[in-house]
Amino acid sequence: MAIVVNKPIPEFDASATGGIKVSNTSHLGQTVVLYFYPKDNTPGCTTEAMQFRDHYKDFVKAGAVVFGVSRDNMKSHDEFKAKLELPFELIADTEEKMCHMFGVVKNKIMYGKKVKGIERSTFLIGPDGVLKAEWRGLKVPGHVDEVLKEVKALKKA
């Protein structure tokens, strides 16, 4: 089932760092920022994680919870989270269930070879469990500010 803006998020459940379970209903009443990224400890993903970290208090103040999602395993996530001192949890989607549900698995060309990769994307889910906004195939610079602006607008609405 594909996800569509202004429609409820389909059912899912996943495990995150800190022993947290995340599902389509686990955070009802809160705004949820789900950002999908290709891989722990790569330059773009590290920069993006640090920007979400540096703006984390602003997201919390605006009533949002942030989750990073990648195909890395829990051990990799725990190390990445500790190394960057991330204040939010990371979801280990090792079976790519969430990646496929959100449609972020894409064919990429890497060093001349076709590989299946994760397209950097962010999804904003409202307190009612409805997808409010999505950013796909994005570039890291300025992105976190854009998401925060949307979270604040949602809080005002």
Side-chain angles (χ1 to χ4, degrees):
M1 179 156 178
I3 61 146
V4 182
V5 173
N6 296 324
K7 297 272 190 241
I9 294 292
E11 279 184 37
F12 76 89
D13 53 77
S15 296
T17 50
I20 290 177
K21 293 279 182 219
V22 182
S23 74
N24 55 306
T25 57
S26 63
H27 291 78
L28 285 176
Q30 284 182 293
T31 298
V32 177
V33 174
L34 277 181
Y35 81 92
F36 288 79
Y37 63 97
K39 194 157 181 45
D40 290 343
N41 295 304
T42 56
C45 299
T46 298
T47 300
E48 186 178 25
M50 291 188 321
Q51 288 178 3
F52 272 110
R53 175 196 69 197
D54 296 346
H55 288 80
Y56 184 71
K57 284 186 175 119
D58 299 323
F59 279 101
V60 171
K61 204 156 64 180
V65 59
V66 176
F67 290 101
V69 186
S70 83
R71 301 179 298 182
D72 295 300
N73 63 31
M74 208 58 82
K75 182 180 186 301
S76 174
H77 275 351
D78 283 334
E79 290 168 0
F80 187 54
K81 186 177 181 238
K83 180 173 140 188
L84 297 180
E85 298 177 2
L86 302 178
F88 52 86
E89 304 305 334
L90 301 175
I91 295 172
D93 189 28
T94 54
E95 294 173 14
E96 297 181 5
K97 286 180 184 163
M98 286 180 71
C99 291
H100 282 289
M101 184 179 116
F102 282 86
V104 299
V105 179
K106 301 288 180 205
N107 287 322
K108 296 177 171 184
I109 304 290
M110 206 175 246
Y111 307 114
K113 283 192 177 122
K114 239 186 186 174
V115 295
K116 204 167 64 162
I118 301 303
E119 179 181 55
R120 192 180 307 283
S121 307
T122 301
F123 300 89
L124 179 61
I125 303 163
D128 53 0
V130 170
L131 182 66
K132 301 296 184 186
E134 63 181 13
W135 295 264
R136 294 179 179 273
L138 56 94
K139 300 283 178 247
V140 174
H143 173 63
V144 172
D145 294 325
E146 207 177 306
V147 176
L148 184 57
K149 196 169 114 187
E150 200 69 32
V151 167
K152 287 176 177 175
L154 191 60
K155 187 180 184 188
K156 281 184 189 150

